[in-house]
Amino acid sequence: MAGISRPRGTEDLLPEPLARLNRVLAAGLQVARAHGYRQIETPIFESTDLFVRGVGESTDVVTREMYTFPDRGGRSLTLRPEGTAPVVRAFWESPLRQDPLPVRISYSGPMFRYDRPGKGRYREFHQFGVEVLGESEPEVDAEVIGLAWRWLERLGVSGTSLQLNSLGDRECRPAYRAALLEFFEPRMAALPELDRERLRRNPLRVLDSKELAGSGILDQAPRTLDHLCSGCREAFERVQEALEALGIPFAVNHRLVRGLDYYARTAFEVWHQELAGAQNALFGGGRYDGLSELLGYPPLPGVGFAAGLERVAMISAPPPQPMGPELAVLSAPPADQKAVVALADRLRAAGMAVLLDAGVRGLRAKLSFAERSGVRLALILGESELRERTVTVRRMSGRTQASVPLDGLEERLRALLGTGGSAEEGTS
RNA sequence: GUGGCUAUAGCUCAGCAGGUUAGAGUGCCAGGUUGUGGCCCUGGAGGUCGAGGGUUCAAGUCCCUCUAGCCACCCCA
């Protein structure tokens, strides 16, 4: 087809997929609220520097995945690739900084990464995440993980596993890094090009190398967990104890390394067995105690996670039923169209979801349309009804109908529809 | 960014070894009931065969480039 097509890696969210996404998001917001988190939203674009400094210059995200552009004032802006750095920035730039710590925040919205698209991977995708700012006690790490887990439970998702690791902090990480380099130094020649590159730029990343996965070499490599300082070791134990208290199963995975630079201590991911190998991460998160300073703000510890809504939606059950209008108002030509329009408006004002089918099209076609739209009741308004100040209310399922006076119509309809017109699900 | 597979109607796909006006199912519209729906019947609209170039008397079909999707890497959500 000719015409302009959508940019690579983007999607039009049509009613069905959007309903799924909204349902997943609504559940997340609900669980977050139950944990005392308040929702915020940050801009979709930010100063490029926020991500370069926050996410880390050597990361894939910054080196090749950012949508960066100059605006008309010559500033370098970037469509946000992730949400944590913006939340920390927003905290410091707002009255939130005066709130009693810790501050608990949830956020959601589109993120952008110039990556090669595939199933479960888009250039524009949607995340839901939470952050706890100003608290270094390890129990909040478990709280954040627990929140994520309860969210999945609420969605009825199964087949997931929680991978947990500790990356050490600025006290013990340098020593570990050195040990890792020392271990690989004599083996450099045997390493694939890619892994040599990793060791140069970001040594920890070599741990989740797929090239080396089967070689056994990683099994001999020093482990982060053996090099933790006492503070990190104690914290990691407390995280695990708290998870046990929550009854959440986890697997300690000493090869789990997060891709962004700002993580310290707790790192975790939730994987799903049915998603494709590299795209099996439903969420990722961890502690980022040094991030605030990287951004040029005072020290502020933090933990959080972010989840990909598309991926979670992919493995969660579809919504019970698509929500359409509950009744249709049909004109039977040659009825007075004004009366039909007014009736639909009157019923909408009474809180009902009303589909209007006016015009000269035949009643047969209109009923067919009403049928396929899934409405439960069709209100037929024609010349005879107008003359008698009534409306014909037809129940679609039973093909039965009755004449109802226009006066007090709302009451009768509510009774027929049963309790409560269904409300809309939350939108993003 | 690398490699492989794919691209025909809104959707799912046929299209035989290159040969005249490109097909099916489904969906859409209308009629079969000038006021009554899901089935059925009849008719209709809808395609620059992803885009551009090339080979050939002739290209949906062969070749090249580009674009997009999927899969495997890389990596993440």
Side-chain angles (χ1 to χ4, degrees):
Chain A
M1 254 238 264
I4 298 166
S5 52
R6 63 178 190 274
R8 184 169 202 204
T10 62
E11 280 209 313
D12 296 309
L13 293 169
L14 303 178
E16 285 300 312
L18 217 213
R20 295 186 69 136
L21 242 43
N22 278 335
R23 176 169 153 277
V24 167
L25 174 60
L29 289 170
Q30 220 171 352
V31 173
R33 210 176 304 124
H35 285 71
Y37 289 65
R38 291 175 295 164
Q39 187 183 186
I40 69 167
E41 278 191 23
T42 61
I44 284 177
F45 55 86
E46 296 268 3
S47 289
T48 300
D49 230 26
L50 178 68
F51 302 113
V52 172
R53 289 163 70 177
V55 175
E57 237 157 323
S58 69
T59 59
D60 282 342
V61 167
V62 169
T63 56
R64 46 188 264 228
E65 294 179 4
M66 293 208 302
Y67 275 93
T68 296
F69 59 96
D71 74 0
R72 285 168 190 262
R75 291 166 278 256
S76 180
L77 301 177
T78 293
L79 299 183
R80 62 181 182 194
E82 62 101 39
T84 301
V87 167
V88 170
R89 195 222 79 234
F91 170 84
W92 286 114
E93 285 201 312
S94 73
L96 287 174
R97 64 189 293 176
Q98 294 171 45
D99 286 0
L101 296 180
V103 165
R104 285 174 232 256
I105 293 298
S106 71
Y107 66 90
S108 65
M111 303 289 165
F112 304 84
R113 257 119 101 154
Y114 190 89
D115 205 358
R116 186 148 174 177
K119 200 170 199 66
R121 162 183 287 162
Y122 307 96
R123 288 186 171 180
E124 180 187 18
F125 60 102
H126 297 80
Q127 286 192 334
F128 166 72
V130 306
E131 312 290 352
V132 182
L133 269 20
E135 175 66 87
S136 43
E137 299 296 330
E139 282 71 27
V140 292
D141 301 33
E143 172 183 301
V144 161
I145 295 171
L147 193 163
W149 199 257
R150 300 274 105 102
W151 177 32
L152 289 182
E153 283 175 349
R154 177 171 300 220
L155 291 169
V157 168
S158 59
T160 55
S161 68
L162 170 60
Q163 307 287 314
L164 191 67
N165 195 15
S166 175
L167 303 176
D169 61 10
R170 80 188 95 179
E171 193 181 321
C172 51
R173 185 117 70 126
Y176 172 68
R177 196 192 187 99
L180 200 62
L181 286 171
E182 195 181 326
F183 171 80
F184 279 107
E185 196 69 49
R187 292 161 232 254
M188 269 304 201
L191 293 182
E193 175 61 35
L194 196 62
D195 290 301
R196 270 181 282 173
E197 176 71 13
R198 283 197 183 100
L199 281 168
R200 263 216 336 260
R201 303 180 75 130
N202 194 343
L204 296 213
R205 297 290 285 288
V206 85
L207 291 177
D208 67 351
S209 161
K210 271 139 194 127
E211 289 76 24
L212 267 36
S215 68
I217 195 169
L218 287 175
D219 296 325
Q220 301 159 37
R223 301 178 172 201
T224 52
L225 296 181
D226 298 328
H227 287 74
L228 296 181
C229 58
S230 58
C232 286
R233 201 175 319 122
E234 190 211 320
F236 192 51
E237 271 159 29
R238 282 169 63 189
V239 171
Q240 296 178 64
E241 283 164 14
L243 286 174
E244 277 156 20
L246 290 167
I248 295 172
F250 58 89
V252 172
N253 179 346
H254 61 269
R255 298 224 185 115
L256 179 72
V257 185
R258 303 281 303 139
L260 315 184
D261 278 359
Y262 52 58
Y263 287 107
R265 292 197 169 175
T266 307
F268 72 94
E269 288 184 358
V270 172
W271 295 350
H272 187 86
Q273 58 197 22
E274 281 169 33
L275 295 181
Q279 274 112 257
N280 67 351
L282 253 35
F283 330 9
R287 178 162 281 282
Y288 45 87
D289 292 348
L291 174 60
S292 182
E293 288 155 281
L294 283 177
L295 298 178
Y297 296 111
L300 180 76
V303 227
F305 76 77
L309 294 184
E310 284 85 356
R311 290 188 187 174
V312 174
M314 219 182 295
I315 47 130
S316 62
Q321 78 261 6
M323 317 255 282
E326 41 201 355
L327 53 89
V329 171
L330 314 180
S331 68
D336 176 11
Q337 301 302 327
K338 292 197 298 287
V340 184
V341 170
L343 176 62
D345 190 54
R346 172 181 151 189
L347 296 178
R348 289 177 189 134
M352 299 173 206
V354 178
L355 200 57
L356 173 63
D357 196 353
V360 297
R361 196 154 74 133
L363 184 59
R364 174 190 166 86
K366 286 174 181 162
L367 271 168
S368 172
F369 180 71
E371 163 69 28
R372 288 173 300 165
S373 301
V375 301
R376 295 161 61 194
L377 299 177
L379 309 200
I380 299 164
L381 205 52
E383 284 185 314
S384 55
E385 284 87 353
L386 284 171
R387 204 180 314 116
E388 296 158 22
R389 298 197 46 74
T390 62
V391 60
T392 299
V393 177
R394 183 171 177 88
R395 192 193 288 276
M396 298 306 283
S397 59
R399 289 180 167 245
T400 55
Q401 62 187 40
S403 182
V404 176
L406 275 170
D407 293 329
L409 177 62
E410 287 89 340
E411 297 312 309
R412 287 291 303 275
L413 291 178
R414 277 204 193 86
L416 284 167
L417 288 168
T419 42
S422 43
E424 188 121 332
E425 298 218 2
T427 51
S428 55

